[in-house]
Amino acid sequence: MSLRAVVRGVGHHLPERVVPNAEFESKLDTSDEWIRARSGIERRHFAAEGETTSDLATRAAKAALADAGLGPDDIDAIILATSTADFTFPSAATMVQARLGMTQGFAFDVQAVCAGFVYALANANALILSGQARRVLVIGAETFSRIMDMTDRSTAVLFGDGAGALVLEAQEGQGTAADRGILSTDLHSDGRYRDLLYVDGGVSTQTTGHLRMQGNQVFRHAVEKLAATAEAALEKAGLTSADVDWIVPHQANIRIIQGTAKKMDLPMEQVVVTVQDHGNTSAASIPLALSVGKARGQIKQGDLLVTEAIGGGLAWGAVVLRW
Ligand code: UT7
């Protein structure tokens, strides 16, 4: 017997305002055709004025708790992956904790940019396996629209806002790859690549800054590193890509998603794709895809999933879990 961190519930929340590609055509030297062809994005959601990351995160958390049939009193810890917290401090996670009416347990943010949800899952798994928490609410939530340079066509059209959440629960498994729950994790970062994707401001410089990206360089690293981390995670679980039912990738670019699936020798029919509707929502993209994938009837209990993501840092990684 061995303890597993098993998904008990999932949910998401998207801001009401949908921004189609056409909206950028009047403001920037770009076109719907270019954005679709190069990224696969057709539309994204932008938060309303005054709507913050903790607002989106709280809504997603409530949806996941409802799906799990649990209340805030049943949760021991909240881990919120975000690079766009409402405030420098307190953490967005403690703000969600308060808004759920949860006074027990502990809450903290994880900042690994687009890889944030994979890092958060790995941390939640470690808390559960070490007996420090029985149930963990793992959230990815972002308002990247607030850090976009809306005059920069190479980045403004790519990102969106949203939130997704999972409830993970400690359950006894057999200790085999047939168990439900997180089966393995694989995390990496390499700070030498800072200049490829960063925000040119922050607390210590007393500015907020804007996202800056050398897209084609990040693209090159993504294609090379994502399949490798996914395969490393599968190997740790004693599995191969032939065992995978669904790849649930970070949703940055359809061409990266296709390239990774091809390297893993899996058809696009086995990939959950939401990039066309959400754009790149950074740490929110994987939990959004998990929630939408389940709602579409793609992801079913017992399916073997591999999630993978890469982003600023560079930071990247993968998690293998049986739903
Ligand atoms: O989530 C974190 C990780 N981030 C990513 O994974 C993003 C990775 N990168 C990408 O998704 C792609 O590199 C992009 C979608 C950002 C760009 O696609 P690309 O095929 O790599 O294009 P590129 O950057 O090489 O640019 C090609 C051309 C350039 O023009 P020239 O130099 O060839 O004349 C750009 O100036 O496309 C131009 N361009 C645009 N044209 C119309 C860049 N942005 C736009 C735009 N509309 N919005």
Side-chain angles (χ1 to χ4, degrees):
M1 297 291 271
S2 68
L3 218 49
R4 295 289 193 191
V6 176
V7 175
R8 165 120 181 210
V10 62
H12 72 272
H13 181 74
L14 289 157
E16 212 170 294
R17 184 175 161 219
V18 177
V19 179
N21 290 346
E23 237 181 77
F24 293 100
E25 288 179 339
S26 56
K27 298 172 194 148
L28 294 168
D29 180 15
T30 190
S31 65
D32 175 40
E33 193 190 350
W34 189 95
I35 302 167
R36 278 177 201 249
R38 293 300 182 113
S39 72
I41 298 165
E42 297 171 20
R43 60 192 71 80
R44 75 287 291 138
H45 294 247
F46 278 177
E49 208 183 316
E51 192 173 32
T52 65
T53 292
S54 73
D55 293 332
L56 304 179
T58 303
R59 302 277 290 265
K62 285 182 177 170
L65 284 171
D67 187 51
L70 296 171
D73 293 350
D74 301 314
I75 300 298
D76 302 315
I78 300 175
I79 306 179
L80 199 164
T82 189
S83 302
T84 48
D86 305 24
F87 296 110
T88 302
F89 68 76
S91 64
T94 53
M95 293 175 68
V96 172
Q97 181 189 26
R99 289 178 55 185
L100 291 175
M102 177 178 153
T103 51
Q104 82 287 357
F106 58 97
F108 61 98
D109 290 355
V110 161
Q111 208 271 50
V113 204
C114 298
F117 196 76
V118 166
Y119 273 61
L121 280 180
N123 276 281
N125 188 47
L127 288 175
I128 287 175
L129 297 196
S130 61
Q132 294 177 81
R134 272 194 55 75
R135 292 201 190 99
V136 185
L137 188 53
V138 192
I139 309 169
E142 303 277 17
T143 46
F144 260 50
S145 63
R146 301 280 151 70
I147 52 166
M148 304 317 304
D149 174 354
M150 291 298 179
T151 66
D152 174 11
R153 70 175 182 172
S154 72
T155 52
V157 303
L158 300 175
F159 293 86
D161 302 337
L166 289 185
V167 178
L168 290 178
E169 178 177 78
Q171 291 182 13
E172 287 292 341
Q174 298 300 315
T176 73
D179 287 348
R180 288 188 65 210
I182 293 178
L183 300 177
S184 63
T185 63
D186 187 59
L187 301 182
H188 302 269
S189 66
D190 190 338
R192 288 176 303 169
Y193 297 115
R194 184 203 87 124
D195 291 346
L196 300 190
L197 177 48
Y198 65 102
V199 170
D200 59 359
V203 187
S204 219
T205 57
Q206 296 191 300
T207 56
T208 303
H210 290 111
L211 183 148
R212 306 293 174 201
M213 177 166 71
Q214 295 178 40
N216 47 14
Q217 295 296 313
V218 178
F219 192 101
R220 203 170 50 80
H221 283 284
V223 169
E224 173 199 313
K225 293 182 165 58
L226 288 174
T229 186
E231 275 163 3
L234 283 165
E235 196 180 329
K236 288 182 191 178
L239 298 164
T240 71
S241 54
D243 299 303
V244 172
D245 292 300
W246 294 102
I247 305 178
V248 187
H250 170 48
Q251 310 281 324
N253 185 315
I254 190 68
R255 292 185 294 136
I256 295 173
I257 294 171
Q258 288 163 340
T260 306
K262 192 164 177 222
K263 279 200 169 192
M264 293 179 70
D265 217 12
L266 287 165
M268 284 304 288
E269 288 70 35
Q270 281 177 248
V271 185
V272 177
V273 180
T274 56
V275 69
Q276 69 281 5
D277 296 325
H278 302 161
N280 182 346
T281 58
S282 185
S285 91
I286 288 174
L288 269 165
L290 289 169
S291 185
V292 169
K294 186 196 168 201
R296 282 180 189 156
Q298 293 178 308
I299 300 169
K300 296 191 185 69
Q301 190 166 317
D303 282 355
L304 187 80
L305 274 51
V306 57
T307 67
E308 31 83 351
I310 186 166
L314 293 176
W316 68 101
V319 171
V320 173
L321 75 142
R322 193 173 296 283
W323 194 257

